[in-house]
Amino acid sequence: VFYVQRLEDISLENSLGPKALWFAEDRGQWVLSDPTSMGKSDVVAARLNSRAWWPWEAHLAGTTSPATLGSAPFAQLPPWFGGAAVLAAARAKWEVAEPSGSFHQARDMKVALVSEESVEVKGLETAEYDFLGVYAKLGLVSSRPFFLQRPKPRKTGGDEAAAEPNQGQHEDEADYEIEFLAPESQYVLWFSDELEQWVITEDFRFLSGIAVDARSQDTAWFPYEVTGGWFVSDGESGFVQDVNLTVEIFDPSTSLEFLGESSEELAREQQ
């Protein structure tokens, strides 16, 4: 697979044209070059020594698949070698070509997978699933983004009496405060490469496909592109399809009044 830079992302002041991102098999490197030079690994603008399957995982020096995350023999390491330090030391760095033909490291350069920052798990208005709500993207797992459920806002007052609007006062004029109450447990929306499904689990069951609250037998790159429908656990050992359960891109601008400052932060993140 290879990628070509979009024309709208090209800076004509600093570039002569689009770049192509591709894997040079003969060198075992992900490289950037002119599209007309694809296949010529000796003429590149930037390179990265990594055989990662996807370019957005290449700088991690491996994969985000849970099936292989535990392959690093941490138990055989001396106690003064922390697991995080070992993984950090293994990270690869992009090298950018200079006019002289040499290369220098670009420490902050990386290839990122472009996806939506927030999604919303929706159901019928009468649905009482705890996993419904807005989720924010946290990182990558199984080469795909995963999302953590955000605290749900609730209208609260100083006391029960203050929470009720006075007679003759409209509800939207009452003195309410928006308070974000973290649930006892949050939910995570992620792709399980073991099950080959998008799943929703409680946060402490993240990366474990044993107890799943909802799932979709669809291998779409993003949960909001799922077309195979969602199935909800029946609490025993099976799943039932909920045709009204969907995962959609979350638009903060439609919920600013309800979500307050937290949604404004989401809006800024998506700008």
Side-chain angles (χ1 to χ4, degrees), residues 119-132:
V119 299
E120 185 172 9
V121 180
K122 291 183 175 181
L124 282 178
E125 293 184 0
T126 56
E128 297 182 355
Y129 305 132
D130 291 335
F131 55 75
L132 296 178

Side-chain angles (χ1 to χ4, degrees), residues 224-242:
Y224 44 85
E225 295 180 345
V226 165
T227 59
W230 288 87
F231 294 77
V232 181
S233 172
D234 60 8
E236 296 181 358
S237 59
F239 288 81
V240 294
Q241 185 174 13
D242 186 340

Side-chain angles (χ1 to χ4, degrees), residues 130-144:
D130 291 335
F131 55 75
L132 296 178
V134 178
Y135 288 65
K137 184 176 73 173
L138 282 190
L140 292 176
V141 68
S142 301
S143 305
R144 293 164 171 80

Side-chain angles (χ1 to χ4, degrees), residues 1 6 28-29 49 82 94 117 145 148 152 167 180 193 213 229 246 258:
V1 64
R6 300 186 306 177
Q29 298 176 337
N49 289 312
W94 279 90
E117 294 294 327
L148 177 66
K152 297 180 180 180
Q167 283 188 338
F180 292 86
D193 58 357
D213 292 87
T246 60
F258 177 61

Side-chain angles (χ1 to χ4, degrees), residues 18-194:
K19 295 292 185 290
L21 172 64
W22 53 284
F23 184 75
E25 182 65 35
D26 58 334
R27 294 177 178 266
Q29 298 176 337
W30 280 98
V31 299
L32 282 170
S33 71
D34 187 282
T36 60
S37 299
M38 288 183 58
K40 301 177 182 179
S41 59
D42 57 337
V43 184
V44 298
R47 65 188 183 186
L48 178 69
N49 289 312
S50 173
R51 288 187 173 272
W53 192 256
W54 302 109
W56 53 86
E57 294 180 321
H59 66 286
L60 302 175
T63 176
T64 57
S65 170
T68 58
L69 286 176
S71 61
F74 294 138
Q76 304 299 322
L77 296 173
W80 56 85
F81 280 95
V86 172
L87 291 176
R91 289 172 66 97
K93 295 180 178 62
W94 279 90
E95 297 178 337
V96 179
E98 296 182 350
S100 62
S102 60
F103 287 81
H104 69 273
Q105 286 188 352
R107 297 183 59 183
D108 297 328
M109 181 176 173
K110 65 179 181 180
V111 176
L113 178 64
V114 178
S115 67
E116 298 295 332
E117 294 294 327
S118 304
V119 299
E120 185 172 9
V121 180
K122 291 183 175 181
L124 282 178
E125 293 184 0
T126 56
E128 297 182 355
Y129 305 132
D130 291 335
F131 55 75
L132 296 178
V134 178
Y135 288 65
K137 184 176 73 173
L138 282 190
L140 292 176
V141 68
S142 301
S143 305
R144 293 164 171 80
F146 70 93
F147 303 81
L148 177 66
Q149 185 184 34
R150 296 180 64 93
K152 297 180 180 180
R154 299 179 185 177
K155 289 183 177 181
T156 61
D159 50 40
E160 294 184 0
E164 295 292 335
N166 297 328
Q167 283 188 338
Q169 185 180 23
H170 293 290
E171 183 177 353
D172 56 356
E173 296 175 352
D175 293 330
Y176 288 117
E177 293 182 357
I178 300 296
E179 186 175 36
F180 292 86
L181 304 177
E184 294 182 0
S185 63
Q186 292 172 277
Y187 288 82
V188 184
L189 170 61
W190 56 287
F191 183 81
S192 170
D193 58 357
E194 179 182 0

